[in-house]
């Protein structure tokens, strides 16, 4: 494991410690920024799809930190799948940024410079796909 992976994992642990499951906070922030996205989740009454999707995005970023090739393919595949349900690709970058902001806020003063660098770096990699 390298520094990037360590910092990312430490940030995920910090968020879990501070607020447990961050799903609600992430989607509240997303819908505040992109209100038109909320309607697409109306069928997700149990909140399971929201949680599953967030977990997949975090796994994708973790894979990216590890230098794996599959995360870029995952993003490309989801671009097509999501286009069919009405999610424009530019919202992907918004969603990644929303996760970053939510986690930084949840981490509070324990959010380190290494965590901030790791997230900035990973989001730049994701944006380059
Ligand atoms: C790399 C980025 C993304 C990945 C890997 C991903 C993955 C997924 C997965 C696996 C599901 C199915 C969840 C389930 O039914 O259990 C899903 C559903 C969905 N995703 Fe994403 N997603 C991504 C980005 C986005 C973005 C940016 C949006 C925009 C807000 C979005 C909107 C949705 C919607 C509306 C659904 C359907 C929810 C429902 O069934 O009610 N996704 N996504």
């Amino acid at each position: 494991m390298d520094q990037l992976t360590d910092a990312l994992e430490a940030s995920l642990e910090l968020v879990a410690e501070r607020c447990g499951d961050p799903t609600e906070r992430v989607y509240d922030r997303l819908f505040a920024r992109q209100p038109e996205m909320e309607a697409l989740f109306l069928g997700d009454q149990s909140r399971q799809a929201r949680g599953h999707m967030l977990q997949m995005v975090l796994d994708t970023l973790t894979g990216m930190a590890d230098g794996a090739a599959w995360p870029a393919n995952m993003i490309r595949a989801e671009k097509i799948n999501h286009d069919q349900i009405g999610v424009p690709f530019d919202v992907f970058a918004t969603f990644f940024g929303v996760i970053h902001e939510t986690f930084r806020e949840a981490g509070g003063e324990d959010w380190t410079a290494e965590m901030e660098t790791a997230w900035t770096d990973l989001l730049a990699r994701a944006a380059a796909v």
Side-chain angles (χ1 to χ4, degrees), residues 70-84 89 92 129:
W70 66 263
N73 294 328
M74 166 77 77
I75 292 173
R76 288 189 197 103
E78 293 304 342
K79 174 184 177 193
I80 295 166
N81 292 336
H82 284 71
D83 186 54
Q84 287 161 3
F89 189 51
F92 277 51
V129 172

Side-chain angles (χ1 to χ4, degrees), residues 30 40-41 44 52-53 56-57 82 85 87 91-92 95:
L30 173 69
L40 298 178
F41 286 92
D44 183 30
H52 182 205
M53 185 173 113
M56 270 189 68
V57 173
H82 284 71
I85 55 169
V87 179
V91 184
F92 277 51
F95 189 59

Side-chain angles (χ1 to χ4, degrees), residues 21-41:
D21 180 354
T23 304
E24 191 92 15
R25 293 181 186 213
V26 166
Y27 286 87
D28 282 352
R29 192 180 281 256
L30 173 69
F31 299 149
R33 188 150 319 157
Q34 303 257 194
E36 73 280 14
M37 287 297 117
E38 190 163 9
L40 298 178
F41 286 92

Side-chain angles (χ1 to χ4, degrees), residues 29 33 91-104 119 123:
R29 192 180 281 256
R33 188 150 319 157
V91 184
F92 277 51
T94 306
F95 189 59
F96 295 142
V98 159
I99 299 172
H100 180 192
E101 287 169 27
T102 307
F103 284 14
R104 183 173 51 208
W119 274 86
L123 264 47

